[in-house]
Amino acid sequence: MQTDTQTQTDVVPFIDYFYKWEREKADQVYLRQPIGDSYVDYTWAGVGQQARRMATYLQSLGLPTGSHIGLISKNCPHWIIADIAILMSGYVSVPFYPTLTADQLNALLGHSQCAVLFVGKVDDWGTMKAGVPDDVVSINFPGYQTDPTLRSWDEIMANFPPIVESPKADLDELFTIIYTSGTTGMPKGVMIDYRAAAQLAINVRPMTFQELPNARFFSYLPLCHVAERTIVEAMGMITGGTVYFAESLETFAKNLAAARPTHFLAVPRIWMKFQQGVLAKLSEQRLNLLLRIPVVSSLLKRRIRQSLGLNDAVLILTGAAPTPISLIRWFRRLGIRIQENYGMTENLASVCMMPADQIKDGTVGRINPGMSVKIDAITGEILTKSGWIMRGYYRNPDLTAETLIADNWLRTGDIGELDSEGYLRITGRLKDVYKSSKGEFIAPAVLEAGFSDNPFIEQICVTGRELPQPIALIVLSETTPKVAQKEVEKSLIDTVNAINDRVHPYERIRKIVILKKAWTVENNLITPTLKIKRNEIEAQFNPFMTSWYDCAETIVWEDAG
């Protein structure tokens, strides 16, 4: 089955939305940066003035039209201002993750052929800057870097006039190159043109871009990631809303509660953290009891939503990785309706979304208007086609030819099922499927999903390419150490038994290995959007797999060191 409903309307370049609000809402606040208990506010006109001055400077460098300009920073107002300046000056923005090492940054700057790099809120610029080639012009974001070798943003603002007329964006020209987070090796540069971004706004806007007089967005996931850039930066610019930023990880909860976003996106691990925070103050048993009392239930739900900052939210999304059904239902009981969203960088993260009024648990939503989906009859792979499919991978024609096949269908690499109502179910990832030593194919994602209801599990990776049966590598949640070890082990064994009862004999999980250290961005075991790097995890723990597998116990605790 496939769907294909196209809405016809005028297609305009992305930057035109900014010009509209710059004129119509000049003195209203567009960007808000918390600093302690106060805010630094940037109006639409103020953002326009800074972006226009920076655009003049960029053009003064004499770069050819369409030159590539990099951005590396955690989220902050100047990230968006710089992005707008790049668009105004007729260049192509290339954002990078602020957690890159010097070698990784050097490789990506070379591959992307960036002539200029904006440098902002990064933790260790002193180490990272060794990866920047000498011929790349580097510009700082004010307030974050004091490196005298960087061109000063403030000096540029003081010495260059605002650009008056920007180059008219050609819809068929390149808009941005978004590098994937690199779960399986070298990140790929996904080329998106202006037409693709415009088509997405037209077709998906009726479902997601709810027009509110005071729309508010909270920016904390990496802006270089397609989901944050689409949901927060693009939606904020299109609707004329206000974008709030998080100051730091430590102030995240306070900043979110103060922002009270009307539109909010979180990855599954964030939702798990929210749940753990609620249960740390109120046990599951006590919560269930209070929710059964009508008047108390209403007050409790409102208090929890307010404490999270979600009482005003009209659109609450989850994506980037599978979200346990039990977790979505848990929040639904609190009046927090989480809508799943599915997509990838190559289709601007917009294949389908769960309708707010027609929820079908177990799926990732219904296919978006303007998007066509079909399932490969042999492999079960999900194929997508729409007006917002990537142009291809930058400087990688072979991989482009493998991914964009006949009639411009995009191979997603995901395995799934599409039902008669247009709802999509994800059942695995082609690259993750492996053959065990018995010669049987194992789909880890299916087995990992079976652990989603266990509250003791924070992170999981099912593996065992060289073993007769799969094993599960697990990182326990932060609250687990408070629980007796025997209780944890019994819970995990019960979960494994329940999974093994409903799968083929060759899929049954033989061992659970409980690891001591969490998988983080810093130890390179998860991406900045909190997806596991399966290849890295398997490579790190492969030397221990056989000994773990041969242990007599079902539950194996990682040895010290």
Side-chain angles (χ1 to χ4, degrees), residues 379-455:
T379 64
E381 184 177 12
I382 300 167
L383 307 177
T384 70
K385 181 180 178 181
S386 72
W388 54 90
I389 296 292
M390 70 167 182
R391 179 183 296 184
Y393 296 116
Y394 186 61
R395 299 178 67 189
N396 199 335
D398 292 341
L399 185 58
T400 298
E402 292 176 18
T403 308
L404 286 175
I405 57 177
D407 202 23
N408 214 40
W409 283 95
L410 172 72
R411 297 180 57 193
T412 65
D414 291 319
I415 306 169
E417 303 165 353
L418 189 63
D419 70 18
S420 59
E421 296 180 299
Y423 285 80
L424 185 64
R425 185 186 308 275
I426 309 296
T427 58
R429 181 91 181 143
L430 273 178
K431 288 183 179 179
D432 293 343
V433 175
Y434 69 89
K435 186 182 288 187
S436 71
S437 65
K438 292 180 178 179
E440 301 286 358
F441 286 101
I442 308 294
V446 176
L447 299 173
E448 289 164 357
F451 287 89
S452 62
D453 289 340
N454 193 302

Side-chain angles (χ1 to χ4, degrees), residues 21-320:
W21 300 119
E22 185 187 27
R23 294 190 305 269
E24 298 180 9
K25 302 178 73 171
D27 297 328
Q28 295 185 35
V29 175
Y30 173 28
L31 308 175
R32 302 203 77 192
Q33 174 65 53
I35 299 179
D37 294 325
S38 60
Y39 283 90
V40 176
D41 290 338
Y42 300 81
T43 65
W44 287 92
V47 168
Q49 278 293 301
Q50 291 202 47
R52 290 176 180 278
R53 291 177 185 275
M54 184 56 68
T56 299
Y57 169 72
L58 293 176
Q59 289 190 341
S60 76
L61 298 176
L63 304 174
T65 301
S67 291
H68 301 168
I69 297 181
L71 281 158
I72 189 161
S73 174
K74 296 179 183 179
N75 300 15
C76 62
H78 286 88
W79 199 108
I80 291 180
I81 297 172
D83 203 21
I84 293 171
I86 295 168
L87 295 177
M88 283 182 172
S89 53
Y91 300 130
V92 177
S93 60
V94 187
F96 303 114
Y97 284 98
T99 53
L100 295 176
T101 65
D103 288 343
Q104 290 169 336
L105 179 59
N106 182 264
L108 290 179
L109 284 172
H111 184 268
S112 62
Q113 300 177 307
C114 283
V116 178
L117 178 68
F118 285 100
V119 180
K121 194 177 180 183
V122 296
D123 292 333
D124 188 9
W125 172 244
T127 300
M128 186 185 289
K129 71 176 183 178
V132 181
D134 293 338
D135 60 349
V136 172
V137 176
S138 298
I139 306 166
N140 78 337
F141 285 175
Y144 294 113
Q145 305 302 333
T146 57
D147 184 347
T149 64
L150 297 174
R151 185 68 199 265
S152 166
W153 180 289
D154 289 337
E155 287 182 6
I156 292 171
M157 294 300 105
N159 292 292
F160 288 84
I163 191 172
V164 177
E165 290 189 18
S166 302
K168 183 66 176 176
D170 184 335
L171 290 170
D172 294 318
E173 292 297 323
L174 197 57
F175 158 52
T176 188
I177 300 174
I178 303 176
Y179 278 86
T180 59
S181 54
T183 55
T184 54
M186 174 69 179
K188 303 179 290 289
V190 177
M191 297 187 289
I192 304 295
D193 56 38
Y194 281 93
R195 188 177 299 279
Q199 287 288 353
L200 174 65
I202 289 168
N203 286 274
V204 182
R205 184 172 185 171
M207 298 172 56
T208 59
F209 293 13
Q210 299 192 38
E211 306 293 343
L212 298 174
N214 295 298
R216 296 182 300 279
F217 304 84
F218 186 65
S219 181
Y220 69 101
L221 294 171
L223 268 167
C224 54
H225 187 270
V226 66
E228 183 81 355
R229 206 162 175 212
T230 300
I231 301 298
V232 175
E233 184 184 13
M235 191 184 296
M237 195 177 297
I238 289 170
T239 61
T242 302
V243 177
Y244 289 69
F245 295 88
E247 183 178 11
S248 66
L249 183 62
E250 291 71 26
T251 64
F252 174 87
K254 181 179 76 171
N255 297 155
L256 175 58
R260 295 179 299 113
T262 56
H263 301 69
F264 182 70
L265 165 70
V267 296
R269 196 172 177 196
I270 297 294
W271 291 115
M272 290 178 185
K273 294 289 187 185
F274 285 170
Q275 181 190 48
Q276 290 169 5
V278 172
L279 295 179
K281 298 177 181 178
L282 194 65
S283 70
E284 189 78 64
Q285 184 178 8
R286 178 70 173 167
L287 178 64
N288 291 336
L289 175 64
L290 295 176
L291 289 176
R292 287 196 290 267
I293 306 173
V295 176
V296 174
S297 175
S298 178
L299 293 172
L300 178 63
K301 290 177 183 178
R302 185 181 304 113
R303 183 174 180 180
I304 291 174
R305 292 196 304 267
Q306 287 176 338
S307 68
L308 293 175
L310 299 179
N311 212 42
D312 295 342
V314 297
L315 179 66
I316 303 175
L317 296 175
T318 186

